[in-house]
Amino acid sequence: MTILYRPDLLFADGRFVSDAGLRVAEDGNISAIARSDTPSDTVVDLPGKALLPGFVNVHSHAFQRLIRGRSESRVISGKDFWSWRNTMYHAAASLDPQQVYDVARMAFLEMTLAGTTTVGEFHYLHTEPSGQPYDDPNLLSKQVIAAARSVGIRIVLLRCAYLRSGFELPRDPGQARFFETTPEFLANMEALIQETPAGSSTVRLGVAPHSIRAVPLDDLREIAAWARSKKLPIHMHMAEQVAENEACLREYGATPVALLANAGLPGPDWTAVHAIHITADEIAALANTGATICSCPTTERNLGDGILAADDVMRKGIRIGLGSDSQAQIDPLEDARELDYHLRLQHQQRAILDQIDGQSLATRLLDCATVNGARALAVPSGMLSPNNYADFFTIDLRDPSIAGHAAADLLPLIVFGMNRTAIRDVAVNGKLIVRDARHPLQDEIVSRYAEAHAKVWRDGRVAAQ
Ligand SMILES: [Zn+2]
């Protein structure tokens, strides 16, 4: 059965067009951007709305939704990233499998309400709180996948390898649920592949060696070679913190990006998450590999990580995708505009990323939130064109945050000014999972999440180390 979605305006080929519809084939793929009078089995009129490609969230840790608001205090979470982790570890240690599901559903619900249709879930909760594997070592991965299926968002589960706390560091008990050996990780990954329907359009897998801190170089080589033998995307935290670079220098005599580039590891299937503390030489080296950088500006500003040199990175042709990471906020456009805003504050200029390679700023930022992310997760999405998944959201053109526009202004108006309140309908694979800004399971998901939240934080606050 074919469906034709007919909004007032449709964003395709880099511009808004009118008198056009999005035609969706039986399999959930886009069959055409068609004239609005094209015959279809079903026609869905979307008056007063514009239709845009769904956002792609490249980097999420769903369970960290629990610490939103809990860590905005030095008394509770200390002064930096390293002490903040203790609050995060408390949440990680507290969840049973049901709560992992309940909390993930909350994060994914919020993502869909923000127009996100695909999430890359960088998942590192594997074992019981004691560190003992569950009878099924993939239990928690499956809980997160089930949560995504319940909400209707497409998931690329980036199963994380976490082998050690760091160079010359004893095991941190806060990380007890993360640890596996490389053979265990590969066996568990293999089992997860076997149990995931091949060719699924809604559940896909990837490999996530956590960081050079947690995965030594020789293990990283083995894991990356295995991932490539399975044609899975590889995602890794790189150069988020100065201390991480310093530890890498002590261990290997090089910083993470230089080390990995010299080892020939990054490639077009590789995503470097953060890549904040990198030199011009490292940017050039990364550009030569074809890797993507995933930036997470709302989290990076929340954690005080630093600012990605998006201007230098983009001038070298490196694609940037975006992630909600710690879920400090879930708002893809806020992440997109922060890429430029952080640089404005740094350089005391405006529109820093405009006209790089002749591309307008708003178009470039939208690409970061859509197609670049889809490429990083190896999914055919992020753009309204034939044979891509029919993933999209609609916006109310009369929402107070964007009301009143000229044709040329609409995209920058959306990218820089739109509130989430404007997002009305969201579709994955051509099926509406949010209608009129409501998800059908919303009340139940929020109630279950509130129960999990109350249990995790019943002991009050967590002391900083
Ligand atoms: Zn992360």
Side-chain angles (χ1 to χ4, degrees):
M1 196 177 77
T2 56
I3 308 174
L4 186 69
Y5 290 99
R6 293 197 303 200
D8 283 4
L9 295 170
L10 187 148
F11 190 80
D13 288 333
R15 63 196 176 94
F16 284 99
V17 291
S18 52
D19 294 323
L22 186 77
R23 197 158 187 269
V24 181
E26 178 87 36
D27 60 5
N29 286 353
I30 296 169
S31 63
I33 306 299
R35 282 171 47 123
S36 55
D37 57 0
T38 305
S40 272
D41 298 326
T42 304
V43 173
V44 179
D45 281 322
L46 300 162
K49 294 174 178 174
L51 188 152
L52 294 98
F55 296 125
V56 178
N57 185 352
V58 179
H59 187 74
S60 154
H61 308 289
F63 80 92
Q64 294 184 16
R65 175 65 179 78
L66 266 179
I67 58 172
R68 184 186 296 175
R70 294 292 307 186
S71 55
E72 305 305 331
S73 153
R74 286 193 173 209
V75 178
I76 295 172
S77 295
K79 67 172 185 174
D80 62 17
F81 168 86
W82 304 100
S83 52
W84 165 87
R85 291 197 311 175
N86 294 320
T87 309
M88 187 264 279
Y89 291 162
H90 176 78
S94 305
L95 299 171
D96 65 25
Q98 177 65 44
Q99 291 165 335
V100 167
Y101 173 80
D102 291 339
V103 174
R105 280 211 305 170
M106 182 70 231
F108 297 154
L109 167 70
E110 194 182 352
M111 287 175 203
T112 63
L113 294 173
T116 300
T117 48
T118 297
V119 58
E121 176 63 24
F122 196 108
H123 175 74
Y124 52 74
L125 282 183
H126 299 316
T127 71
E128 293 189 31
S130 65
Q132 179 73 22
Y134 289 99
D135 289 346
D136 176 357
N138 283 317
L139 175 64
L140 298 185
S141 295
K142 291 177 187 172
Q143 289 293 84
V144 172
I145 289 171
R149 293 183 70 102
S150 164
V151 171
I153 195 170
R154 176 179 303 99
I155 186 168
V156 181
L157 189 96
L158 304 160
R159 199 181 185 288
C160 182
Y162 205 108
L163 312 179
R164 61 173 193 177
S165 293
F167 178 53
E168 293 180 337
L169 289 178
R171 279 197 168 191
D172 184 330
Q175 300 160 348
R177 304 188 83 173
F178 311 169
F179 294 122
E180 292 169 326
T181 64
T182 296
E184 286 166 348
F185 170 75
L186 295 179
N188 293 338
M189 238 359 269
E190 190 78 61
L192 196 59
I193 290 174
Q194 297 304 325
E195 295 172 59
T196 304
S200 167
S201 61
T202 51
V203 179
R204 289 165 164 251
L205 301 174
V207 170
H210 180 275
S211 56
I212 196 67
R213 166 165 54 79
V215 181
L217 185 59
D218 286 346
D219 295 270
L220 183 59
R221 287 184 205 275
E222 184 179 350
I223 290 168
W226 182 89
R228 284 177 171 142
S229 76
K230 304 288 182 186
K231 297 190 164 44
L232 298 177
I234 305 168
H235 288 225
M236 184 172 181
H237 294 116
M238 291 168 77
E240 178 178 12
Q241 287 279 326
V242 171
E244 169 198 345
N245 283 14
E246 289 169 349
C248 191
L249 260 175
R250 283 200 305 279
E251 183 170 14
Y252 299 105
T255 50
V257 172
L259 177 74
L260 270 55
N262 285 338
L265 283 167
D269 54 357
W270 189 284
T271 296
V273 182
H274 303 300
I276 292 170
H277 301 287
I278 57 177
T279 64
D281 286 347
E282 287 176 311
I283 291 172
L286 206 54
N288 286 336
T289 70
T292 299
I293 288 176
C294 175
S295 185
C296 310
T298 53
T299 287
E300 288 154 1
R301 71 182 178 186
N302 183 277
L303 296 177
D305 285 340
I307 297 171
L308 172 69
D311 47 352
D312 296 338
V313 160
M314 287 173 169
R315 273 192 210 103
K316 286 287 181 189
I318 299 176
R319 293 180 184 84
I320 298 176
L322 299 170
S324 63
D325 197 0
S326 72
Q327 329 296 1
Q329 285 175 269
I330 295 177
D331 187 342
L333 290 180
E334 180 66 5
D335 278 305
R337 62 183 74 112
E338 289 306 319
L339 272 184
D340 200 77
Y341 279 168
H342 289 168
L343 295 174
R344 294 186 191 194
L345 295 171
Q346 211 171 28
H347 299 302
Q348 298 169 45
Q349 290 179 19
R350 303 191 66 257
I352 309 270
L353 304 176
D354 190 33
Q355 301 307 320
I356 295 173
D357 293 333
Q359 196 177 29
S360 82
L361 176 58
T363 305
R364 182 169 279 279
L365 295 180
L366 186 71
D367 281 356
C368 294
T370 54
V371 280
N372 294 358
R375 180 181 178 275
L377 293 171
V379 294
S381 180
M383 196 190 304
L384 300 179
S385 58
N387 299 319
N388 272 4
Y389 295 142
D391 297 346
F392 64 84
F393 64 91
T394 70
I395 57 173
D396 175 5
L397 290 165
R398 295 182 61 80
D399 184 87
S401 67
I402 53 168
H405 69 270
D409 297 342
L410 184 54
L411 190 63
L413 181 63
I414 291 168
V415 170
F416 284 95
M418 192 177 85
N419 290 336
R420 267 173 39 183
T421 51
I423 295 175
R424 308 311 296 175
D425 313 290
V426 182
V428 175
N429 280 346
K431 272 189 358 200
L432 290 174
I433 58 170
V434 170
R435 291 171 194 259
D436 209 18
R438 292 281 300 177
H439 189 286
L441 301 178
Q442 191 160 331
D443 291 341
E444 186 235 346
I445 292 171
V446 170
S447 298
R448 295 282 289 271
Y449 172 73
E451 279 175 37
H453 185 278
K455 278 192 191 136
V456 168
W457 300 115
R458 68 188 162 196
D459 298 325
R461 65 196 190 191
V462 184
Q465 273 191 342

